[in-house]
Amino acid sequence: MLARSPKSFSSHKPSNVLELSNTSLAVLRRYPLRPGAGLKRTGDILFAFTLLSIGLPLILAISLLVKLTSRGPVFYTQERIGRRYHRFGCIKFRTMQVDADKRLQALLDSSEMLRQEFARDHKLKNDPRITPIGSFLRTTSLDELPQLLNILLGEMSVVGPRPIVQDEIRRYGSAMNEVLSVRPGLTGLWQVSGRNNLTYRRRVQLDLNYVRRHTLLLDFLIILRTVGVVLFPSDKGAY
């Protein structure tokens, strides 16, 4: 086989890559960096580094529990859509069985009710694929602790809109560009306002409201409310 020259690679980019690049540029031009963005980023780094340092024993304990209670890796990485449509691997503690992705379609095919629930919420409340420790981690949102690494890498922020998957883009409609003008967050208005107990339309509204009303004070208040949700989860829509 003949090797392609660097020139031939650069002149034959896939159309989806070109579309992604054009969309990113369009978002950048219409929604440039906001005042205080540098301060927010500095706060993100300090917060993530501090929490990782303090929470290391907890992270190690959870890692051990995940490993001992079910077969498979400790972490699960899923592709999400970040700021300006940049894709990244969102890291979580694994809360499902290793073959969960393969079992999903069979599960949805077995029940019209489950199929409708997944189409509406993009997840299942009583998901049989969840591990015993996974249910606790999801209820307390501790499964999202590894996303502190995403924050340090600049892919996420401490506070921001929900990080979404490819299939959810269409559900945001015309609001998508504005929502993706900022980094997705470890926590946000949606996470402290009922999460999965809310309709999807309400989720989109909350994400849009955050982007339009963002201040550092709002971030601080959301972080305080997040602490309450983690310590006293009860039924806050996390599952």
Side-chain angles (χ1 to χ4, degrees):
M1 293 180 64
L2 295 175
R4 292 185 180 182
S5 67
K7 182 177 180 180
S8 65
F9 277 110
S10 62
S11 60
H12 290 84
K13 291 183 180 179
S15 59
N16 60 338
V17 174
L18 291 174
E19 290 171 3
L20 184 62
S21 299
N22 291 336
T23 304
S24 300
L25 287 172
V27 174
L28 177 59
R29 288 173 185 144
R30 185 169 182 182
Y31 305 104
L33 288 177
R34 298 158 184 257
L39 185 59
K40 178 177 172 66
R41 177 63 188 144
T42 301
D44 285 342
I45 294 172
L46 292 175
F47 182 93
F49 184 79
T50 301
L51 201 56
L52 274 173
S53 300
I54 296 174
L56 185 59
L58 176 61
I59 291 172
L60 292 175
I62 294 174
S63 299
L64 185 61
L65 284 173
V66 172
K67 194 65 179 177
L68 292 177
T69 56
S70 63
R71 181 175 57 88
V74 171
F75 301 106
Y76 173 75
T77 302
Q78 184 181 45
E79 184 180 84
R80 298 294 178 103
I81 311 299
R83 185 177 63 161
R84 300 172 191 160
Y85 290 86
H86 292 306
R87 300 169 189 273
F88 69 97
C90 187
I91 312 168
K92 290 187 176 186
F93 281 117
R94 181 177 57 82
T95 58
M96 288 190 174
Q97 298 162 0
V98 288
D99 60 347
D101 291 336
K102 295 180 180 178
R103 290 181 56 194
L104 177 60
Q105 192 56 53
L107 192 61
L108 298 181
D109 289 342
S110 69
S111 170
E112 177 64 25
M113 185 178 298
L114 292 179
R115 193 157 54 248
Q116 291 178 1
E117 181 184 354
F118 191 81
R120 182 184 66 245
D121 301 328
H122 212 74
K123 62 181 359 182
L124 303 173
K125 186 168 187 177
N126 298 305
D127 198 322
R129 302 171 299 158
I130 296 177
T131 64
I133 188 65
S135 180
F136 168 76
L137 293 177
R138 285 174 169 233
T139 301
T140 57
S141 299
L142 290 174
D143 62 318
E144 298 178 353
L145 269 179
Q147 290 170 27
L148 292 170
L149 293 175
N150 291 121
I151 294 173
L152 290 177
L153 291 171
E155 298 162 336
M156 293 180 64
S157 181
V158 176
V159 182
R162 299 168 50 247
I164 63 169
V165 298
Q166 175 69 36
D167 291 344
E168 293 179 276
I169 289 179
R170 59 182 176 80
R171 306 189 69 170
Y172 276 74
S174 60
M176 192 74 272
N177 282 356
E178 190 169 358
V179 171
L180 291 183
S181 67
V182 301
R183 291 183 179 90
L186 173 65
T187 186
L189 279 178
W190 173 74
Q191 288 91 330
V192 299
S193 302
R195 299 188 65 159
N196 295 296
N197 289 334
L198 304 174
T199 64
Y200 205 97
R201 176 174 292 185
R202 181 58 179 158
R203 299 184 200 182
V204 175
Q205 290 174 344
L206 287 172
D207 283 346
L208 199 56
N209 286 344
Y210 171 80
V211 174
R212 292 176 174 175
R213 296 171 44 210
H214 169 258
T215 63
L216 294 178
L217 176 59
L218 178 60
D219 280 0
F220 179 71
L221 294 175
I222 290 174
I223 290 172
L224 287 182
R225 291 183 61 183
T226 301
V227 173
V229 170
V230 171
L231 293 179
F232 310 101
S234 63
D235 181 17
K236 298 293 192 308
Y239 54 80

